Amino acid sequence: MKALTVVASLLAATAACAQPRVPPRANVPAPSTPAPRAATTEPAIASSGAFPEGDVANLVGEDRAWHARAREAVTKGDLYLAKRILLRLVAGYRRDKLLVAQHEWVQARLDAEAKPARDAMKAAPLGAVPAIPSSFRLARAARVPPRPTPKLALRKSTKNEVTDEARWFESAGPLSELALPAPETLVVFHIDVEDAATDRVLGRLTLGGWLEETPAPRLRREPFPPWIPPSFGSAGLARVLRSGTSTILTYGNRYLFVFDEERKLVRALDLFLFLYPESHVKRAGIKVGELTITTPEASTTTDVTVQDNGPRHDLQWAEVQDGVLYLSTSYNGYAKEVKGQTAYVTALDLATGDVLFRSAPLTSNSRNFVLVGGAIVTGYGFTGEPDFVFSLDAATGKTIQKIAAPSSPEYLAWSESKRELAVRTYDHDLLFAVE
């Protein structure tokens, strides 16, 4: 029997700063026929001589169906799916030059699609949003068109099962946040001999099951836009929010970019200071040791300190409307841990990056908020703390309505046609009429 050397390495590319509540990946058997995909809003990429076409003669069983699905994904412009399938096929049929060429074509196309946005992000000056004093409320009103201020009236309150989010989103529809491309996992085997039996074993090891991540029901599951760069420097893409004709991208829970409907970058922001409460940003360094340097002339001892900025806020949601960028930020913990400085809605002038206003604290830690007429409707609550639905003036951030909720508001969905606001709290489903 011929000597055989096998070296296995696992390469896993996962999205940095994973979002909370993302379900674990599950092993799902591969389909016998190509599965239908959701329609894409991206321009379709027609099959052409540019994509290396041809038949991979040695594909066996379900692998042929996966290869067909990869070609279909290329045609529809679902390049991330095509790349993921081809990457796994290359692992199992590593000597097939056509599969390698197809994967490289897809990767090159992804790089080319994302290049304009990537170049714009690299070239744009990052505007640092400052830490905001706890007393700050209003610099100037946002210049937004006059709109009626809605009045919320509770119509129905029903207990839910706490874990039945999927049922609620079937009715309310997903949020405007896109699911990120599924992580790529590839096992690469380097073999020093050609052996058909070994090839079949490796094919089963790498392609015997299909790793497919099912996004949370709150996320839109559709072909991921290839024009969006997967990283900014060392920060991985964290979130993609669609807001009207704008697209909001965040990287590493620090950097935020706003693109318009023509994919032109209109604002680049660094949220580092903004995401810390004022009382913590100015903390003194913490001594962790001493360092002594001795020379023939003398010895010098100095303190070794680290900077602890304290608890950090998370960006909960963002929307763009009428040239204003609205941001909801909160600390995932008790309000007393940050001296009550948490759960705000802040408005920035999209043209200048200037901070316009910030709401009162303990106003917004729901997973999203909605813009209804001339108001921002959001919610706040936490274990052992009061729970409310808030309506805020979209021009000034001032509280218009404050309605008690049975538990912490988590998601909000606005129906323009029905003039209804659905609110999912921890253990209740609320329905408000909007007058």
Side-chain angles (χ1 to χ4, degrees), residues 36-80:
R37 301 294 291 169
T40 174
T41 56
E42 293 294 311
I45 301 173
S47 296
S48 69
F51 179 72
E53 289 287 1
D55 182 46
V56 182
N58 60 337
L59 289 177
V60 298
E62 61 193 21
D63 301 341
R64 187 164 295 279
W66 281 118
H67 191 226
R69 184 172 176 185
R71 295 199 305 270
E72 177 191 30
V74 168
T75 302
K76 292 183 175 181
D78 197 351
L79 297 181
Y80 277 100

Side-chain angles (χ1 to χ4, degrees), residues 157-427:
S157 176
T158 307
K159 289 206 65 158
N160 61 42
E161 297 179 6
V162 179
T163 59
D164 60 344
E165 281 187 2
R167 175 199 55 77
W168 190 83
F169 282 106
E170 284 179 4
S171 173
L175 304 182
S176 56
E177 181 172 6
L178 302 190
L180 299 181
E184 297 163 1
T185 302
L186 170 64
V187 180
V188 182
F189 293 86
H190 301 283
I191 308 298
D192 64 353
V193 296
E194 291 190 13
D195 179 77
T198 301
D199 286 348
R200 287 193 294 273
V201 171
L202 295 181
R204 288 195 297 272
L205 286 172
T206 57
L207 293 164
W210 176 250
L211 293 175
E212 186 160 324
E213 185 174 271
T214 301
R218 63 186 176 86
L219 300 174
R220 292 190 179 277
R221 188 180 187 186
E222 56 190 67
F224 191 79
W227 69 269
I228 296 176
S231 62
F232 174 68
S234 61
L237 180 63
R239 304 181 75 177
V240 177
L241 307 177
R242 285 180 176 160
S243 181
T245 59
S246 298
T247 300
I248 303 168
L249 311 179
T250 68
Y251 292 84
N253 200 25
R254 172 172 178 172
Y255 305 106
L256 183 146
F257 299 89
V258 179
F259 287 82
D260 66 15
E261 60 184 327
E262 297 178 350
R263 303 177 188 173
K264 178 183 176 182
L265 179 61
V266 295
R267 182 54 53 190
L269 299 172
D270 183 346
L271 304 180
F272 180 80
L273 294 174
F274 174 69
L275 291 174
Y276 285 102
E278 175 201 20
S279 60
H280 298 290
V281 170
K282 298 179 180 178
R283 280 184 172 186
I286 299 173
K287 181 178 177 180
V288 294
E290 294 181 344
L291 175 66
T292 301
I293 301 175
T294 302
T295 67
E297 291 77 21
S299 292
T300 302
T301 300
T302 184
D303 292 341
V304 177
T305 63
V306 295
Q307 185 66 38
D308 176 20
N309 291 322
R312 189 174 193 270
H313 287 179
D314 293 318
L315 177 65
Q316 295 290 352
W317 197 250
E319 293 281 358
V320 170
Q321 183 172 275
D322 302 321
V324 180
L325 172 63
Y326 297 97
L327 304 174
S328 171
T329 56
S330 66
Y331 167 66
N332 185 22
Y334 293 101
K336 63 182 179 181
E337 296 175 12
V338 287
K339 303 180 181 180
Q341 297 177 36
T342 182
Y344 301 97
V345 173
T346 306
L348 281 70
D349 187 310
L350 194 59
T352 64
D354 295 339
V355 178
L356 301 176
F357 67 74
R358 188 171 71 170
S359 70
L362 309 184
T363 298
S364 180
N365 69 346
S366 51
R367 296 294 296 275
N368 73 311
F369 59 82
V370 293
L371 301 174
V372 182
I376 307 159
V377 185
T378 185
Y380 178 82
F382 202 77
T383 304
E385 298 181 19
D387 308 301
F388 296 97
V389 173
F390 286 89
S391 176
L392 312 175
D393 189 314
T396 65
K398 293 181 180 179
T399 300
I400 300 171
Q401 273 187 284
K402 180 180 178 181
I403 304 170
S407 55
S408 176
E410 295 181 339
Y411 300 101
L412 300 93
W414 161 239
S415 172
E416 178 75 37
S417 60
K418 297 180 180 179
R419 303 294 297 174
E420 291 180 345
L421 175 75
V423 178
R424 180 178 174 86
T425 76
Y426 172 74
D427 58 9

